[in-house]
């Protein structure tokens, strides 16, 4: 009985963590502790991937000049100029042609959830397939065979945000599509 209860408790904690994360677009200038950053990177490293191919690499940018240049290149990611860290997940289609993007997206989400658990804010700004991806690659000397999935701002939040979700009843089907 007791063992069941403690299991339920840990399930609830995960849900609270997941529901409590918000995309943060305003950051304090306080730096991110290297131990915290390391934990977030480890969380990304341990994401599941198709055939455990791990078709990802990670680039960390803290240099202010580079962050400002990245912000100029990304029309919807201006906040990376202010976040003290930018986490850049790189995806390698030569390692897994079919699933490289979804695998690297999972690693990125794991990074973001770990960051949230450490009281750090993040915001994903999509890059892959955009007409400015090649400019980001050039700026950061990223080799041809890698694609830039996103710029992920990381830092201490200087805002509180809310968000909405579609109701589960409109999303979930049972046994066959259309059956509620
Ligand atoms: C693939 C992807 C691309 C995104 N691109 C941007 C972006 O370019 N700029 C931005 O401000 N937010 C971006 N976001 C963040 C979403 O706007 C945000 O996750 C969504 O509004 C839900 O809000 P929440 O994360 O606070 O729950 C992106 C998120 C994802 C998953």
């Amino acid at each position: 009985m007791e063992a069941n209860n403690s299991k339920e408790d840990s399930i609830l904690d995960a849900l609270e963590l997941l529901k409590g994360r918000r995309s943060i677009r305003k950051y304090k200038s306080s730096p991110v502790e290297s131990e915290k950053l390391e934990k977030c990177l480890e969380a990304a490293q341990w994401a599941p991937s198709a055939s455990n191919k791990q078709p990802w690499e990670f680039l960390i940018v803290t240099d202010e000049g580079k962050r400002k240049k990245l912000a100029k290149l990304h029309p919807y990611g201006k906040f990376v100029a202010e976040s003290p860290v930018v986490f850049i997940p790189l995806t390698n289609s030569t390692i897994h042609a079919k699933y490289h993007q979804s695998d690297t997206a999972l690693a990125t989400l794991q990074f973001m959830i770990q960051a949230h658990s450490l009281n750090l804010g993040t915001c994903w700004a999509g890059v892959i397939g955009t007409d400015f991806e090649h400019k980001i690659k050039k700026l950061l000397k990223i080799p041809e065979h890698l694609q830039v999935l996103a710029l992920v701002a990381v830092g201490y939040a200087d805002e509180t945000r809310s968000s909405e979700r579609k109701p589960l009843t409109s999303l979930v089907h049972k046994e066959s599509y259309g059956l509620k």
Side-chain angles (χ1 to χ4, degrees), residues 83-95:
S83 66
V85 175
V86 189
F87 168 67
I88 307 177
L90 305 171
T91 179
N92 188 337
S93 64
T94 70
I95 294 182

Side-chain angles (χ1 to χ4, degrees), residues 21-23 25 74 76-77 79 123-126 162-163 165:
R21 182 208 54 78
R22 290 284 67 78
S23 292
R25 298 178 181 86
H74 199 306
Y76 312 108
F79 41 84
C123 188
W124 179 318
S162 61
S163 191
R165 290 297 184 268

Side-chain angles (χ1 to χ4, degrees), residues 55 57 90-95 100 133 137 142-148:
E57 292 183 47
L90 305 171
T91 179
N92 188 337
S93 64
T94 70
I95 294 182
H100 68 104
E133 182 183 0
K137 285 179 71 167
I142 296 165
E144 193 55 41
H145 67 284
L146 298 174
Q147 284 176 279
V148 180

